[in-house]
Each structure stands twice: as C-alpha cells, then as structure tokens.
Amino acid sequence: MAGGAVPAGWAHRAGERATRNAGGCLHLFWQVGPMSARLHLQPSAARRVSAKGGAGPGQLLRGTPARRQRPSGPGAPRPPPSHAATLRRCPGRPASPDGMPAAMLPYAWVLMLLGAHSAEAAGKAGGGHLRWEPRCQQPLTSRAPVTALLPPRLEGPWISTGCEVRPGPEFLTRSYTFFPSRLFRAYQFYYQDPLCQEPAHSLVIKGKIRLRRASWVTRGATEADYHLHKVGIVFHSRHALLDITRRLNWTQASRDCAQQLPPAQAWVPEALYELLSARAGRDCTAALGFTMHELSLVRMQRRLQPRPRARPQLVEELYLGDIHTNWAERWHYRPTGYQRPLQSALHHAHPCPACSLIARSDQHHPPVLPAPTALPLHLGGRWVSPGCEVRPAVLFLTRLFTFHGHNRSWEGYYHHFSDPACRQPTFTVYAAGRYTKGTPSAKVPGGTELVFHVTEARVTPMDQVTMAMLNVSEPSSCGGPGAWSLGTERDVTATNGCLPLGIRLPHVEYELFKVEQDPLGQSLLFIGQRPTDGSSPDTPEKRPTSYQAPLVLCHGAARDFSKPPQHRPLLQEPLNSGGCWPPVAPLPFLLLIRGLAFLQRL
C-alpha cells in the first residue's frame, strides 16, 4: 500500500499483492503415477476456470469442477510429492526447494518432451499449449492484484464506465468530482432507455463530505458523513417534466414542490430548477426517491490492467454505497454493500467508449452513449465472477455457474468469505436445478425473465466458526445426523435445505437476465439484483428490476451450447483459484526448450 503510514484509528486492510520476480518463469505441471508421467497441456478451445461465491442463480450457485480444487493460503496442507510436483525454473536461479533439484533439470526436459509427444495427439483438437507466465506469481482470486487505499483519496473526477441500472428501473450515468476542500459536485444523468441514449433529466448536486472511520460493519470500507447544499434539476424533454410533476403530485406534502415547476407548455430547454436549498430550507427530493446516502460508505481500489505489447494500465475504482431495492426504504437505508464502481477519469480501464463522453458532460449537455453489443440470451457454458463481490449485510463471495442449454439445467457454486479480498473462506454452497424458457421483460427493457427451480444443494464448511454452528444445529434442519467436518461437503437436499444458512428446498426464484459484450469483446452475464432485505425473489412481484455485478464467460466469447457437452481431453491443468486462463505459448516453443536442455547437458 502506497502513501506511507496509516493514521491511528484506521484499519489497515490492503488487498492482496502478487510477489513478482525479476525474470520470467516457465511453470511445468507434471504428475507422477505408478507407471507414467504426464505433462499437463492446456487446450485453448476448452479453457477452464474456477471461482468462488451463496438459491437461484443469483444467490446460491456454483459450477462443477471436474477436479477438486487444491486449498490455498498459509495454513493449507501441501500435496504429497507422490501426486504432484511443480517445476519452477527462473533465469539465474536454482529450482525452488519444493520443486525439482537443479541437477535433474535436463532429465525433466526430456521427460517433458516425451510426455508432450504423446499428449499432442490428444490435445490437437483443442490446440495444445504450454502455459507461459511472464512472472513467477501465485494466481489470485481476481484477474489482477488489487490494492485498497485506507483512508481513500477521493480528490478528482470519477465517472461511470457505461449505462447503469438502478432498482425501479432507473437508467443513469454518473460524474462526481471531489475537491481538496472536501466539497463535491455530482452529476446524475437519467435516461428513458436502457442504452442511455435518450436523456430525460439531469441532477446537479453540491455539498460537502467528511470521511470518518473504517467501517465496523463492512470490512474494507470507510464510513463518511455528507451534507447537501443544493440540488438542481434540468429537463431535457417535456415528457420528463410531466413525469417528475406527476411523481411530485402523489403526496400532499410534495404538491407545493410541483407548483414550483413550470407547466409542460412553458418548458424551457436547459433551464435549471431548484429541488433542494440548505440556505432556503427547502427540500423536494424525498418525493422523487432521491438521496445521496451512497456517500456514507466508500471504498477505493487500485489495480493494473494488463495490455498486449504495452505496460499495464493503472485503474482506480471508487465504490459507493448500494441503493435499496425497495423504493420506499431508500430514505432510511444506510448502505452495507456497493454499487457498480466509478472509475477515475484520469486512470480508467481501456478501451472505454463512454468514459470521455461522460467526463466532458454537465447538466446542460448529458452524455449520449454508444450502443453496446447486445447478445441474444442463449444460456450455456461457465460464467465466473471476475473478482470478489460484496453484498448487503456484509457478504463477500464469488460465484461460478454452469448452464446446460440443451436440457435447461444449471448448477453453481457460491464461495463465501469473511474478508473483502475473498481470501478467508467461510463456507461454500452448491445448488442445482432447472430453469424455464426466457421471455422478454416488459418492465425492464433489454432484460429477459426466467424462472429458476432449485432442487438440490450441498454445503461445505470452510472455517471453524461455520463448522461449530452447523454442529450445534438440529440435525433435521441441515444435513441430517452426523458431525460436520472442515472442508467436507454434505448433501442437505434430504433435510429440505439448511436452516442455519437460510437455504430452503425445493425453491423457486423469478429472475432477470441480460447478456452484453464489453469493448474488449468479452461476454458478460448480468443476473438480477438480490433484495436488499435478504429475502428471495420467490414471487413474480419480487422479480428484480436491476442487476448484480456481471459474470464473465470463462471461454472469452459466446458459443453455441445448444448441444450436450462433449467429452474433453484429460490432459488439462488443474483449476486455478480464480479467473480464466492466462495467455499461453504454442507447442512449437518446445523446440527451444529442447535446445536449452541439450546445452545444459554439455
């Protein structure tokens, strides 16, 4: 964590950093069996990932790995040498103590080449590749190391990176600027369409913010106080003016506010009307469901975005408090989770077609975003959380879903953690079931409505606290008789779920899905946002109207999953602890390795 010492009273919780060596390393993963040694090759057409995340696809799921993941962390047991070994050879360095002795390296190369020759035929259909990592580092839960800044440094402009959807639904983009004097100016641009191409009205918010202390509720976050000085509104169409006037006329208390707005026939473009003035003691924002309680919970992160043939790009992200899914509760709710993050206008991810448009906009000139590439909703394949996710009520998790489009079945893993970096697991929930054919949503344009049935669930306690809680619970409420043990999965289907963890079976959820493609060509799956009160969308009236953080298709691009899954070659590397596969080197690179092995023998 950069920036010197942390002031007293602040919890120092920085994100995990990867340890890097000066030179590149070639990682060769090999297994030793009684009669054979096999080189693990990575077929590029059948890449695999693993992720972590807790029933319905929005809350309990996880995908089924073909092989059990190896536990990680300082306290995790090491695998016995008879099953696996890792050969790590860095330039100018001997082999690591847990790897192959340096004197045996030439023999390892020969063994590897013999194994590659026999494995190439099996991997040719998928394009066999050796895995090449430019740095010696352990895989992280997210794709790139993340550093959390405590206390956060808010100064500067922060912008949305695309069109956002809030419960309601509300479609908007945001542009916030924080000044060294603790004053801030925020623009919120609202739209009539889900692509943010038809501006309805804009809000300009001015006030002051004061960071207080590290949050006692949401680990890794900072609590803050804010005070609003002014809130103004600009209407970009007569229809938007009529809509706001209609909402203000719902209650007698806000009708005086509606009278301060002009009639529709007197609408003037770019005219600013005051909704809140601290000096005049007037506040007309409550009737619109508007608050800035999102400023009461803050988290700032830095990460490096890898770029081909270029230095990594610094990306700064600002997470602000979440918005309650129930409109009537927004005014009283104090956030415990986050919205989709804003990014620094100076240090944002690339490419970002919307970033420059939003950064240059103001209340009189709202941004009109380019349309993203919309994909038809053909569920199939594996979708994984790109990083650690945060839910209200202090839930940290990652998710991995597998959808089988040929029979409309699904399965998924929710890996729960106790820390915002998702490094300290608490328990894992597996769920499976079926889903119905989707229909276009009439309430949320661009979304697809589905019904998910949860018929099976399994639970794995991953820490002592969760294990103790399950062991003192009634056997009939979770898993039946028998003691729970750490890291051991148990089926809870026969007990109709697991009452201590809030899992009920059988279970039905009314969901909202959407698939998009980001500027890098990566497929994203948006699943409906969970109710803030922790309940389940088990009735059509509780169907989500906004989305959670997107999942990433781990194959990198959409493909046809209408056919049953095909058998995959066994010569694949074990699942990583997160993310999709990194860039790989082709098999012809073995020729260079063979030459190096020959020279080393001289």
Side-chain angles (χ1 to χ4, degrees):
M1 179 163 161
V6 178
W10 289 87
H12 184 82
R13 306 189 190 101
E16 301 292 335
R17 292 173 180 259
T19 303
R20 301 185 177 186
N21 291 336
C25 298
L26 179 64
H27 290 237
L28 303 176
F29 297 86
W30 57 295
Q31 285 189 340
V32 180
M35 299 294 294
S36 65
R38 298 185 302 175
L39 172 70
H40 286 267
L41 299 178
Q42 178 193 348
S44 60
R47 295 183 180 179
R48 304 168 62 190
V49 301
S50 105
K52 311 168 183 174
Q59 189 72 2
L60 281 183
L61 318 177
R62 92 182 201 186
T64 305
R67 184 176 306 178
R68 190 176 183 86
Q69 297 185 22
R70 194 168 65 192
S72 61
R78 304 182 74 139
S82 60
H83 290 89
T86 300
L87 176 62
R88 185 175 296 140
R89 185 78 169 93
C90 297
R93 300 189 181 200
S96 58
D98 61 339
M100 180 73 64
M104 296 185 64
L105 280 175
Y107 304 98
W109 297 126
V110 174
L111 180 62
M112 179 201 68
L113 290 172
L114 292 175
H117 179 73
S118 61
E120 185 174 359
K124 187 171 293 184
H129 284 72
L130 274 179
R131 182 175 163 209
W132 174 258
E133 292 184 356
R135 300 286 184 183
C136 290
Q137 62 182 24
Q138 295 297 322
L140 300 178
T141 302
S142 58
R143 294 188 173 187
V146 173
T147 300
L149 273 69
L150 288 173
R153 301 170 186 172
L154 301 182
E155 290 80 9
W158 302 85
I159 54 175
S160 302
T161 56
C163 192
E164 302 178 9
V165 184
R166 285 184 173 179
E170 293 179 324
F171 310 108
L172 77 157
T173 57
R174 297 175 290 161
S175 176
Y176 295 177
T177 302
F178 297 91
F179 302 99
S181 60
R182 298 191 298 179
L183 296 174
F184 70 87
R185 181 193 64 223
Y187 295 125
Q188 293 184 353
F189 308 105
Y190 290 82
Y191 300 83
Q192 298 176 10
D193 67 305
L195 302 180
C196 291
Q197 294 183 325
E198 302 176 20
H201 65 273
S202 299
L203 297 180
V204 53
I205 307 113
K206 296 181 179 181
K208 194 169 188 176
I209 185 172
R210 180 176 66 90
L211 300 178
R212 295 174 55 203
R213 60 174 178 268
S215 174
W216 290 94
V217 178
T218 306
R219 288 185 60 186
T222 299
E223 296 177 357
D225 292 328
Y226 74 93
H227 179 70
L228 298 182
H229 298 163
K230 287 185 178 182
V231 177
I233 186 170
V234 175
F235 299 100
H236 304 298
S237 68
R238 287 187 175 86
H239 176 79
L241 174 59
L242 288 172
D243 180 63
I244 295 297
T245 303
R246 188 181 309 111
R247 288 159 63 180
L248 290 175
N249 281 325
W250 283 350
T251 62
Q252 181 63 40
S254 59
R255 287 177 183 172
D256 294 338
C257 297
Q259 294 175 1
Q260 299 186 26
L261 299 178
Q265 59 271 20
W267 166 68
V268 178
E270 300 187 7
L272 178 66
Y273 302 95
E274 198 171 69
L275 293 178
L276 180 147
S277 173
R279 179 174 298 179
R282 179 173 58 254
D283 185 359
C284 298
T285 60
L288 301 179
F290 168 83
T291 74
M292 286 297 287
H293 292 339
E294 60 187 283
L295 294 179
S296 61
L297 193 70
V298 180
R299 176 179 171 89
M300 181 182 172
Q301 293 184 172
R302 284 178 176 171
R303 60 181 175 88
L304 292 178
Q305 177 194 13
R307 294 189 297 172
R309 298 181 298 277
R311 298 181 61 182
Q313 172 74 32
L314 174 65
V315 177
E316 295 182 338
E317 296 177 319
L318 179 63
Y319 289 81
L320 299 177
D322 62 306
I323 307 298
H324 203 288
T325 53
N326 186 340
W327 188 286
E329 298 294 331
R330 286 188 180 184
W331 186 258
H332 309 285
Y333 175 66
R334 291 301 181 269
T336 55
Y338 303 116
Q339 299 178 68
R340 179 175 175 176
L342 302 175
Q343 292 190 3
S344 169
L346 306 177
H347 303 288
H348 59 79
H350 291 276
C352 180
C355 289
S356 59
L357 297 174
I358 298 174
R360 295 195 305 262
S361 300
D362 58 29
Q363 70 270 29
H364 301 297
H365 307 90
V368 177
L369 304 190
T373 303
L375 301 177
L377 185 66
H378 298 308
L379 288 182
R382 287 188 172 184
W383 300 82
V384 61
S385 300
C388 191
E389 301 179 12
V390 182
R391 295 285 184 276
V394 201
L395 294 177
F396 306 104
L397 72 157
T398 58
R399 300 172 290 161
L400 172 62
F401 302 126
T402 302
F403 298 98
H404 305 290
H406 66 284
N407 60 2
R408 293 192 193 136
S409 64
W410 64 268
E411 55 187 340
Y413 288 99
Y414 283 84
H415 298 262
H416 288 256
F417 302 83
S418 62
D419 67 302
C422 287
R423 310 301 290 180
Q424 302 170 16
T426 54
F427 65 95
T428 294
V429 177
Y430 166 87
R434 306 185 71 85
Y435 60 91
T436 63
K437 182 180 179 180
T439 57
S441 174
K443 192 171 185 179
V444 185
T448 300
E449 297 180 350
L450 303 98
V451 179
F452 277 77
H453 299 266
V454 188
T455 57
E456 177 186 352
R458 300 196 290 267
V459 173
T460 307
M462 300 300 293
D463 69 346
Q464 297 290 340
V465 174
T466 305
M467 184 183 69
M469 178 189 68
L470 294 176
N471 278 325
V472 300
S473 63
E474 289 290 334
S476 60
S477 68
C478 187
W484 290 82
S485 58
L486 204 63
T488 301
E489 185 181 71
R490 292 185 60 177
D491 197 321
V492 298
T493 306
T495 55
N496 296 325
C498 184
L499 186 60
L501 297 180
I503 302 172
R504 294 181 293 106
L505 294 177
H507 185 61
V508 176
E509 291 198 347
Y510 295 83
E511 277 292 356
L512 180 72
F513 276 47
K514 178 179 68 170
V515 176
E516 287 184 358
Q517 194 173 69
D518 68 7
L520 293 173
Q522 191 168 237
S523 298
L524 305 177
L525 174 62
F526 294 83
I527 299 178
Q529 183 177 351
R530 312 300 302 178
T532 306
D533 60 7
S535 63
S536 176
D538 51 6
T539 64
E541 294 75 21
K542 298 178 68 175
R543 189 188 299 272
T545 57
S546 57
Y547 302 99
Q548 304 177 48
L551 303 174
V552 178
L553 181 63
C554 64
H555 295 276
R559 47 177 265 207
D560 183 13
F561 289 92
S562 59
K563 299 179 180 180
Q566 302 296 319
H567 174 72
R568 294 182 177 181
L570 294 176
L571 295 177
Q572 294 184 6
E573 222 176 287
L575 287 171
N576 271 337
S577 62
C580 298
W581 288 103
V584 293
L587 275 177
F589 190 72
L590 290 172
L591 297 176
L592 176 60
I593 297 176
R594 188 171 186 177
L596 294 175
F598 174 78
L599 291 176
Q600 191 164 352
R601 294 182 61 183
L602 296 179

